[in-house]
Amino acid sequence: MIRVTRKYRFSASHRLHSAGLSANENAELYGKCNHPYGHGHNYEIEVSARGPVEDRSGRVLDPRILNRLVEEQVVQPFNCKNLNVDSAAFEDVVPTTENLAREIYRRLAVKWTSVFPGPWPVLEKIRIAETPRNIFEVSEYGKS
Ligand code: NI
């Protein structure tokens, strides 16, 4: 069994602000991340899949298929976007990177079996770095 990881990037802006809290509560809870005009990040994501090495190809997966999936489901929808405004997923959900990681995992998981119809590879984990010091992971064992 081999784990394959590919890296992707996108840039997006967000503001941490909960509609259910007052202005003061938001400022207290999120600090500078609650700044009214938001701020941007250059997100780096890693998508990990696991499976046996196929005899015919000598590979676990076709990287072109994974690239197309991640481009369509993650990079294009989020790149150069304001997550609070441009993504339906964050209409009622604060776009913390924890929640962004869950949304990215969900988006890949929903389409996974249509692009990889066999038993392998399985989507194992996504990892997203908001900054070099803020890194978040979602695995197949912790989808929620
Ligand atoms: Ni931020």
Side-chain angles (χ1 to χ4, degrees):
M1 203 68 66
I2 300 275
R3 177 184 304 122
V4 178
T5 299
R6 288 184 65 81
K7 296 184 179 185
Y8 303 88
R9 295 165 181 264
F10 64 88
S11 300
S13 64
H14 69 170
R15 179 194 184 200
L16 303 189
H17 182 88
S18 174
L21 299 176
S22 71
N24 282 343
E25 287 170 329
N26 271 296
E28 170 69 23
L29 182 60
Y30 295 121
K32 65 183 181 182
C33 300
N34 183 240
H35 188 278
Y37 299 113
H39 59 274
H41 292 287
N42 297 315
Y43 294 99
E44 296 186 347
I45 65 172
E46 297 179 11
V47 178
S48 297
R50 185 182 73 242
V53 177
E54 294 176 340
D55 287 340
R56 180 166 170 270
S57 67
R59 300 189 301 197
V60 169
L61 55 80
D62 183 339
R64 294 169 298 185
I65 295 174
L66 184 60
N67 289 351
R68 196 178 313 129
L69 176 68
V70 177
E71 285 289 328
E72 289 178 1
Q73 293 301 316
V74 179
V75 176
Q76 288 171 18
F78 292 137
N79 192 35
C80 299
K81 299 291 171 59
N82 178 329
L83 297 177
N84 301 69
V85 174
D86 297 322
S87 177
F90 300 113
E91 278 181 6
D92 301 315
V93 174
V94 181
T96 59
T97 305
E98 288 91 332
N99 284 331
L100 180 59
R102 292 202 291 195
E103 174 64 10
I104 290 170
Y105 189 95
R106 188 192 67 77
R107 284 170 161 267
L108 296 178
V110 162
K111 299 285 184 184
W112 192 265
T113 50
S114 64
V115 299
F116 294 112
W120 304 106
V122 296
L123 175 61
E124 186 176 83
K125 185 175 79 174
I126 73 115
R127 184 176 190 269
I128 178 166
E130 175 185 48
T131 72
R133 298 174 70 188
N134 284 346
I135 296 161
F136 306 78
E137 296 187 357
V138 182
S139 76
E140 61 186 308
Y141 303 109
K143 292 177 188 174
S144 61

